[in-house]
Structure formats: structure tokens, C-alpha cells
Amino acid sequence: MTKAELKKNWEKVLELLAESINRNRVDAFFRPLSPSRIREKDSVIMMNCGNSAFFQSSVDRYASDVEKATEAVFGKPYSLLVTDKESDENELDIDQFDPRYTFDTFVAGDNNRLAYAMSMTVAERFDIKHNPLFIYGGSGLGKTHLIQAIGQYVIKENPRKKVIYVSSETFTNEYISSISSRTVDDFRNKYRSADLLLIDDIQFIVGKQETVTEFFNTFNALYNAKKQIVLTSDKLPKDLGDLPERLVSRFAGGMIADIGIPEYETRLAILKRKASVEDVDTDDPDVAAALDLIAQGIQTNIRELESAFTRVLTFSNLEGKKITRDYAKSILTDIYNIKAAEITPQRIKEVVADHFGITPEDIESSKRSREIAYPRQIAIYLSKEKTNYSLEKIASFFGNRNHTTIMYSHKKVREDMERDRDLREVVEKIEEML
Ligand code: ADP
Ligand code: MG
């Protein structure tokens, strides 16, 4: 809904309120407010006014009348949120975003390195060398997260910049409704006033000819005015389908950055971050083993990766059970078809490191102290026993030591185990945890 439409509808709400709480009160408490925007996520109409605290408490007394009147006009009840005029503009801008989608919470990995670096560059320098920045990648791989991170960063660092973020669907809907309410000029002015225009999922615009034309004009206006544009898409420009050639070449004329499928380490890092946000102790070996299972089992979609973890966490809270590898498996098998994860040198390294209170990096390192060398030998022994990996391959997991070192470590642990009962127990315990 455009601001003009909102204003018109608000007048109707005032009329209805006048019937239910009388006109004097409406004039005293409601007239001074001017509606700026609807915030759907919590069904709020944002109202501007000086002395917002006073007016907020006044209108709150008529909350149920407001709900009835707004329901009659908008088809759905709303409450009012009154903010001061000065603070409002920026708040409106930031309000478009999911507060969780910032650069701080984004885990950089090999799969997203270029997209991440380019997004940071655009957000920080705010130059238009890379215009548009076109981020593309499969579903659930972090496109929305990144494009929103750009927007939130710019608003925070440059409060005076006008930032607009929309999905291409919202863009389409707004355009269509501006035609029917004869407010196309408002629509155009809004988008052409942007210093930074962020359009998510541009692929959905394909096939909607009039919207495409309108978008092309907006794009050109901003581009020529040297305003930054960022787009996301699940396809490359050339694969978008039925789009005018000139638009495709515009899309491809800036910087194209892809997001690929994350590697195991990145998946695990994302899960760990998510778990710590939820106050789950990721240093707990049982939890770590559960996260490993999820990171091994879900490889191509981070949204699914996160929701698998959320599901385990929810069940563990409900049932009062501890998060362990087996518990996670029991919760997830039906849905994600998670099989017992393959045993790899990587996994062995992690379990061994956990057991001895050191890190996998210590194991890879060249450190020779006994606290490190001994677990390292055990991890090498298990890697040779439990996997089909070649010596070269195993060596690559242990700081590229040479083959003789791998052979030597294996032989030594095997021999030591024959006479050292404690060692045998340690190795068995670790085997169980795999
Ligand atoms: P897309 O828009 O590509 O479909 P999203 O940006 O919605 O994907 O990402 C899906 C979920 O995965 C979101 O919750 C997002 O925060 C998370 N996510 C994706 N990539 C990362 C990453 N590199 N670091 C942290 N979280 C990520
Ligand atoms: Mg998205």
C-alpha cells in the first residue's frame, strides 16, 4: 500500500472512530497523528507525531475501538505505534530488515567468499563501480541474508542514505496496486528516490511484462544517477528466461557473484553459531557430535540445516532430553533421511581432539609436545583403521605429513595398545563416539 492509499484509508478509520468514541476525542488524540507505514509482521500501523509517548498512551486506551475500525477498513485489525517524527525516517528504513541478517552473523566460507567480499565492498565504500551487484545461488544458501546485511550496514553507517529493500514480488504487487489506485507517480518517485535499491529474488519478475518495463525504467533512472543497485536471483542473468535482452545485458554488466554449496567446515561453523545464539553449549562433546551429524547429513541447503538443528533443539526442550548424536538422529531420520555419518579422518580428528581437550588444528600442527603428539598418533591410527582413505589422503588431514610418519604412528599405537590397557580403553571409547 502506498502512503497516499494509507492516508486515505486512515481517514476512513477516523470516521469510524468518531462514531464509536465521539468526534472530540478523535480530534484530540488521533488527528495529530499521521500514518507513515504498515508493519505487517506484528500488525502495526506506524504513526508519526511529536510527543509520541503522550499520544501512545492516549490511543492505547482505545485499542479495541482501533482494532474494530481498522478491521472494517483494512480487513484485518491493527494496533498503532506512535513514534516521534525525527526518529522515524531511519527507523522505517531499518524496519524492512530481519535484524538477524547482518554481516556479523554471516559465516564466510569458500562457497560464498566472492559474494561476501563484494557485498562488504558495496556496503562499506558505497561506490558504484560494481553496478548492479548481482548475487546468484540456489535456494537457502544465504542470498537474502547477504542483501539484507548490505542494507542494514548502509543504514547504520550512512543514516542519510535512502535504502529500499523489496522482493521482486512486492515490487510487482506495489506496482499493480498503484495502477489501480492511480498512484503510479508515487510509486515511481519512491523507487527513484533510492540511493541504494535492493531487490531480492529478481527471477520472479520474469514474464510480467508491464512490471518488467517499469522495473527497467527504474533501473535505468537509478543507474544513470549513479545509485547503487543490488539484485539476488536463483539463476544467472542469461538463464532468467523471457527478459528483454537489454535488461539481461544490464544485469550482467556489473558484478556477478555466486554463492555455492557450503563445505562441511562452513556448515558446521553455521550450526555452531546458531547453537550458541540459542545458548546451547557447543563445547559439550555430545552436542558437538550431534552438530557433526547434522552438518554431515544436510549438505545443500542452509535453511534446512538450520531447521534440522532447531527441530532437535525444540524436541530436546520439550522432552527434557540431552542433545546427543543418537538423539539428533532419532529426531531427524524420518524427515531428512540422515544416515549414520560416514567416518572420515576429519571426524576422527574432531572426536579425538574433543576427548583430549585440544583442537583439530593442534592435531594438524607441527607441535611435538606429548599432549598433542599422542592424540595425533591415535587419530592417525584410527584414520587408517576405520576408513578406506589412502595414505596420501590421510596425510592431507594431518598437516600433510609424509607417509612414513602416518605408517609409523599407526604401527606405534597398535603396538602400544598390546601392552597398555589404558590406551586400549581410550581408543575403544573414541571408537564408540565415532
Ligand atoms: P536464500 O535467500 O539464498 O534462499 P537465505 O538468505 O534466506 O537463503 O538463507 C537461509 C538461512 O540460512 C537463513 O536463516 C540465513 O541466515 C542462513 N544462512 C545462509 N548462509 C549463511 C551463512 N554463510 N552464515 C550464516 N547463516 C547463513
Ligand atoms: Mg531468499
Side-chain angles (χ1 to χ4, degrees), residues 165-278:
Y165 166 83
V166 275
S167 66
S168 72
E169 288 152 305
T170 304
F171 183 89
T172 306
N173 294 339
E174 275 185 30
Y175 177 58
I176 292 170
S177 83
S178 81
I179 295 173
S180 60
S181 64
R182 298 167 199 276
T183 51
V184 176
D185 283 345
D186 290 349
F187 174 87
R188 284 189 185 137
N189 291 339
K190 170 181 161 186
Y191 282 95
R192 290 172 198 194
S193 71
D195 294 303
L196 171 63
L197 177 61
L198 308 164
I199 301 211
D200 206 358
D201 289 322
I202 192 70
Q203 72 270 11
F204 292 128
I205 210 173
V206 175
K208 297 164 186 154
Q209 295 312 343
E210 277 182 67
T211 310
V212 168
T213 306
E214 182 62 29
F215 174 73
F216 187 56
N217 294 334
T218 302
F219 185 102
N220 282 335
L222 290 175
Y223 186 90
N224 293 333
K226 300 205 175 349
K227 306 295 188 183
Q228 178 75 50
I229 302 158
V230 181
L231 307 167
T232 73
S233 166
D234 67 357
K235 296 191 185 74
L236 279 169
K238 69 178 171 58
D239 299 328
L240 273 170
D242 188 18
L243 274 191
E245 188 50 44
R246 49 204 178 131
L247 193 52
V248 173
S249 67
R250 280 282 191 188
F251 284 175
M255 164 62 78
I256 296 182
D258 74 308
I259 306 185
I261 290 170
E263 299 196 336
Y264 169 82
E265 286 77 7
T266 309
R267 301 199 297 275
L268 189 64
I270 290 170
L271 279 179
K272 278 194 175 157
R273 164 160 265 149
K274 173 106 182 150
S276 19
V277 169
E278 305 284 351

Side-chain angles (χ1 to χ4, degrees), residues 139-140 142-145 147 165 200-201 232 303:
S139 176
K143 299 183 298 295
T144 297
H145 190 138
I147 197 174
Y165 166 83
D200 206 358
D201 289 322
T232 73
R303 192 176 297 116

Side-chain angles (χ1 to χ4, degrees), residues 127 342 367:
D127 57 8
E342 191 197 350
K367 292 178 197 159

Side-chain angles (χ1 to χ4, degrees), residues 101 105-107 112 138 140-145 270 302-303 306:
Y101 293 169
T105 59
F106 192 82
V107 175
N112 58 35
L141 293 180
K143 299 183 298 295
T144 297
H145 190 138
I270 290 170
I302 296 170
R303 192 176 297 116
E306 289 187 338

